[in-house]
């Protein structure tokens, strides 16, 4: 029998876990399509953006990951559209046919149609976003050193983080610590500049998805370390100098970091009915796309209302993506062996967020933790979730260095300038 | 007495060593101007370009370097021109006045007027160059995986390194090792592609500045590991697909890495007579610019014919730059204290080049070393030359990992996209 051709679009938590579980089963041939040549660990992106971790600490090249796996190929390409009738996907540099197609495409930043915000705010979803943010923040600080006008200076140094989910909380906490331990020591020019760090959210809570105790503790911790937390404030506009809220309030700043929403991507070639809330692909309890026989979707990009514990669909978090990838791998194997398929049931291990040095909150199996113990759990869980020993050791090294020196070392403005004619690499069509 | 204002343009080996030696003497106030916000270690650039080291392993932010030094300021800016009559330098974002001005601007890549080569070849002088090169090479390999045409594939995978100095030798040796240990394992598509690695030079020798024994040994080592060494071949043109040599020979390739020459930069505001061979600023035995009373130049960007041991000028190497920076610092202090100035005398400690795993050549105090012992010396000297313990430890970690796994881990294509309106940070004028 020829191996079943499975095309996985997207190599995040969901796609990687699916591919890994199928990698040693020669009844399948897997092609993983991703526009980047590496997998990365989004929960620690904000530490790359703030110069505490290297890109390489949280990333791993796909080809290295699948080295020696004869039944896994990697294809660097943009996904363009699917031709479901022909079982064919069209990529930026060619085409692939499939027996099974799996969307594991995650989400992208959602600006809710605010074009100005899209143009002027800094997103936080990809490695390129994180490196760009590091560059932009460092450049703005350097710029501020030569500015005389106090208002212009304050605008350059004020940071508004929009979205009080884990990313927003962790980023604003990190900024508050950097202000204390790094910036005032190395930029004597900023003394008395009066720059503030804001965390704003349209809702009424910090960490809305966590327990009330975690919400309360994280709010108090953030205020204690000097973050201005502003709730029930919905961003309406940001022209690059002033952010305007729905209630008419404004904050003068050049820097809005946008962690306020995500959306799945609408792909060409699928019927409009396939897309649910937030453009998520509507799947059944086996992650199969409604109305299709051989197209699946897993992770943040899909929504299923058939898990009894989650009638509104699952939260868009790493654990769901991982478990869906693993379950789908099991089902692909079961189908070939004639065994019964497993319905997907999300097993919620809990969630956690770090706020600053020695402070975090965690809800684990309905228990609430805070302070140093939660902080230590956070470090341990994130370290162990990294993809391999190399990354774990290197991350541990950077963390230990940062902890003991109270310093952040990786403050480099890097702007590579790839040769323009290499754009064809991912956008041009293959012969 | 007001402190003497010293403006140093350029924070490489020369500039940093000068600034460091003056940093604790409050009779001076130093402003270091650099377009990048970090110092870096050029001898290991090629390892960043090939994914063996991180940018951060060989770089260090200026502000961190001078943290706590009250008499040192860092200014991120492009140097535009000097107004010597007014003791004033004009930067991209403002102006500075000086009592002493020091050029420590190093060199840039020299394409010898070949516009096509400048446009199509990959330079190797800066961190941005190295990251760009890593991106471009990885992209070309990915592109080659989807190419059917064998000639197009071979062109994408063939590498021509132009210039058989240490950079060219070390790069081509690294490529040969990567081909053996990494590429054929992770890109099964490349088997039988017939891609070659060339090292070409217009002269008749590999490592022309080293001893004859080192030249011979390195040549043999390179051939042994599969590098095609072509001497007496001067590049005349490179259109992006074919490199043409002065003798009419051609090599089909998309990738020429240009390590074949450097030139100093001609600055506005200095008389034409100030510039010597290769645009180097002509200085006396105290590194003072000819015809000036308070302008100096140190490192690769200057040339002095007044050192009896080096009547043709010093080689453009790190040791000269370091020693000139240190000597000038001593002289600035001596001048204020009324002591006699020290003439600059270069103390040549020798030179070395690594070729591959366990192979290197070294000429130390007229002794020649090769093989494992030279390789070990190379590692030790380069590790110890890194700027601080943090970088040394991290580099050692990456080296040890690469050595024992025969692998290179840092293969990421990263293309940050800073907000366009941030360009003003270094190009706009300050108010």
């Amino acid at each position: 029998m020829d191996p079943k051709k499975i095309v996985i679009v997207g190599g995040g938590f969901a796609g990687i876990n699916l591919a890994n579980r199928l990698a040693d089963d020669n009844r399948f041939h897997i092609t993983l399509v991703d526009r980047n040549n590496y997998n990365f660990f989004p929960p620690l992106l904000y530490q790359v953006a703030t110069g505490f971790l290297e890109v390489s600490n949280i990333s791993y090249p796909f080809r290295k990951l699948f080295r020696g796996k004869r039944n896994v190929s990697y294809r660097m390409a943009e996904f363009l559209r699917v031709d479901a009738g022909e079982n064919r996907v069209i990529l930026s540099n060619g085409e692939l046919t499939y027996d099974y197609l799996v969307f594991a495409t995650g989400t992208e930043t959602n600006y809710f149609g605010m074009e100005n915000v899209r143009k002027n705010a800094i997103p936080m979803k990809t490695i390129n976003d994180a490196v760009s943010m590091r560059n932009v923040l460092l450049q703005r600080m350097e710029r501020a050193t030569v500015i005389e006008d106090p208002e212009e200076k304050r605008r350059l140094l004020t940071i508004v983080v929009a979205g009080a989910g884990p990313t927003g909380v962790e980023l604003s906490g990190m900024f508050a610590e950097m202000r204390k331990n790094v910036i005032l020591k190395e930029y004597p020019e900023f003394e008395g500049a009066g720059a503030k760090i804001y965390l704003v959210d349209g809702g009424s809570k910090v960490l809305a998805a966590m327990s009330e105790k975690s919400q309360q503790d994280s709010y108090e911790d953030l205020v204690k370390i000097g973050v201005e937390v502003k709730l029930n404030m919905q961003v309406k506009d940001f022209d690059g100098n002033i952010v305007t809220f729905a209630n008419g309030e404004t904050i003068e700043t050049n820097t809005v970091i946008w962690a306020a929403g995500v959306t799945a991507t609408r792909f060409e070639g699928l019927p409009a009915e396939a897309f649910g809330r937030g453009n998520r692909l509507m799947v059944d309890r086996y992650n199969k796309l409604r109305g299709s026989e051989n197209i699946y979707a897993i992770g943040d990009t899909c929504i299923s209302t058939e898990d009894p514990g989650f009638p509104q669909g699952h939260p868009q978090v790493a654990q769901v993506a991982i478990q869906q990838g693993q379950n789908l791998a099991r089902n692909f194997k079961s189908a070939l062996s004639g065994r019964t398929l497993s319905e997907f049931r999300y097993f919620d291990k809990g969630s956690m967020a770090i706020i600053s040095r020695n402070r975090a909150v965690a809800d684990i199996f309905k228990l609430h933790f805070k302070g140093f113990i939660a902080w230590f759990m956070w470090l341990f869980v994130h370290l162990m979730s990294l993809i391999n020993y190399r990354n774990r050791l290197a991350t541990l090294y950077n963390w230990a260095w940062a902890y003991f020196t109270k310093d952040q070392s990786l403050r480099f403005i890097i702007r590579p300038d790839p040769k323009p004619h290499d754009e064809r690499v991912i956008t041009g069509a293959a012969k």
Side-chain angles (χ1 to χ4, degrees), chain A:
Chain A
M1 192 187 72
D2 275 348
K4 291 281 180 197
K5 283 185 284 186
I6 302 183
V7 171
I8 305 173
V9 185
F13 283 122
I16 281 293
N17 274 280
L18 172 59
N20 267 339
R21 294 283 170 116
L22 297 174
D24 282 323
D25 190 330
N26 286 319
R27 296 176 299 171
F28 302 100
H29 185 273
I30 297 106
T31 304
L32 179 72
V33 177
D34 200 297
R35 62 162 74 103
N36 292 313
N37 73 332
Y38 50 84
N39 165 267
F40 72 99
F41 187 70
L44 292 176
L45 256 191
Y46 80 100
Q47 296 210 1
V48 172
T50 49
F52 282 84
L53 289 181
E54 313 271 2
V55 168
S56 65
N57 296 159
I58 66 164
S59 311
Y60 208 71
F62 288 121
R63 288 191 183 273
K64 211 163 142 63
L65 199 56
F66 296 115
R67 181 194 277 207
K69 309 285 185 193
R70 287 275 149 195
N71 68 331
V72 183
S73 307
Y74 163 66
R75 174 75 164 255
M76 180 159 149
E78 293 273 350
F79 172 82
L80 295 184
R81 63 179 190 278
V82 54
D83 179 350
E86 302 276 335
N87 288 342
R88 205 165 52 122
V89 289
I90 291 86
L91 308 175
S92 52
N93 57 11
E95 301 184 356
L96 294 170
T97 58
Y98 59 79
D99 296 309
Y100 300 113
L101 172 62
V102 183
F103 286 98
T105 39
T107 55
E108 53 188 88
T109 302
N110 189 355
Y111 299 99
F112 304 102
M114 294 179 287
E115 189 54 25
N116 263 345
V117 176
R118 193 191 61 69
K119 228 168 52 193
N120 297 311
I122 301 174
M124 261 295 291
K125 275 292 284 178
T126 68
I127 290 281
N128 287 331
D129 287 348
V131 177
S132 296
M133 176 172 143
R134 192 177 68 193
N135 284 347
V136 168
L137 294 183
L138 287 167
Q139 282 173 298
R140 286 181 183 170
M141 288 201 288
E142 290 302 333
R143 167 113 182 120
T145 61
V146 295
I147 295 288
E148 302 287 343
D149 178 42
E151 283 184 23
E152 196 180 345
K153 194 170 191 164
R154 201 177 313 123
R155 262 206 311 278
L156 272 166
L157 295 174
T158 295
I159 297 179
V160 174
V161 179
T167 300
V169 166
E170 291 172 349
L171 261 179
S172 53
M174 193 67 114
F175 288 137
E177 274 204 295
M178 283 166 60
R179 181 170 55 181
K180 194 175 80 184
N181 291 322
V182 181
I183 293 169
L184 287 178
K185 286 185 190 147
E186 291 185 16
Y187 294 83
E189 300 92 335
F190 295 169
E191 269 187 54
K196 291 188 174 163
I197 296 157
Y198 294 93
L199 176 64
V200 305
D201 198 287
S204 61
K205 291 167 182 166
V206 165
L207 297 174
M210 291 188 70
S211 70
E212 262 186 48
K213 280 184 186 161
S214 286
Q215 293 169 9
Q216 191 58 34
D217 289 337
S218 56
Y219 179 87
E220 284 166 13
D221 281 349
L222 286 167
V223 171
K224 206 176 294 167
I225 60 176
V227 175
E228 314 270 327
V229 184
K230 301 202 151 224
L231 300 173
N232 300 307
M233 299 262 285
Q234 204 180 332
V235 172
K236 223 183 64 187
D237 194 16
F238 174 51
D239 66 0
N241 286 307
I242 295 175
V243 49
T244 311
F245 296 91
N247 64 4
E249 280 191 53
T250 59
I251 298 174
E252 284 201 35
T253 182
N254 294 134
T255 307
V256 171
I257 293 162
W258 192 252
V262 296
T263 175
T265 311
R266 270 189 120 80
F267 296 112
E268 255 187 88
L270 296 176
E273 310 88 75
F275 296 95
R277 178 157 50 86
N279 289 335
R280 288 160 81 178
L281 288 166
M282 294 204 287
V283 297
D284 65 15
R285 64 200 70 185
Y286 307 103
N287 283 94
K288 195 163 71 179
L289 194 66
R290 281 205 199 157
S292 163
E293 279 314 307
N294 61 348
I295 301 183
Y296 294 79
I298 51 179
D300 287 1
T301 202
C302 78
I303 186 163
S304 158
T305 53
E306 300 188 2
D307 184 341
F310 299 86
Q312 302 300 313
H314 302 104
Q316 287 166 295
V317 297
Q319 277 301 321
V320 172
I322 292 167
Q323 293 173 28
Q324 285 183 337
Q326 293 170 346
N327 191 60
L328 185 57
R330 200 178 308 123
N331 282 341
F332 279 144
K333 293 180 180 180
S334 297
L336 276 198
S337 315
R339 290 196 305 268
T340 316
L341 302 187
S342 315
E343 300 182 6
F344 177 68
R345 291 275 186 283
Y346 173 43
F347 174 61
D348 185 0
K349 297 183 182 168
S351 58
M352 45 200 353
I354 197 168
I355 292 140
S356 71
R357 195 180 175 80
N358 302 341
R359 287 178 220 264
V361 290
D363 299 327
I364 312 284
F365 301 132
K366 314 211 160 161
L367 291 173
H368 169 69
F369 300 89
K370 66 173 180 173
F372 182 81
I373 172 83
W375 176 82
F376 192 81
M377 286 162 64
W378 187 98
L379 291 183
F380 182 79
V381 166
H382 283 79
L383 201 60
M384 285 303 127
S385 305
L386 288 172
I387 204 160
N388 67 357
Y389 283 107
R390 179 183 162 79
N391 288 14
R392 281 174 213 160
L393 263 171
T395 297
L396 185 62
Y397 174 71
N398 280 322
W399 280 353
W401 197 278
Y403 187 80
F404 291 113
T405 63
K406 296 194 182 181
D407 200 356
Q408 140 248 39
S409 301
L410 310 170
R411 276 169 287 140
F412 306 104
I413 302 173
I414 314 281
R415 283 162 303 197
D417 171 33
K419 300 270 156 176
H421 54 279
D422 274 87
E423 288 310 307
R424 67 179 181 195
V425 168
I426 54 165
T427 57
K431 280 192 181 169

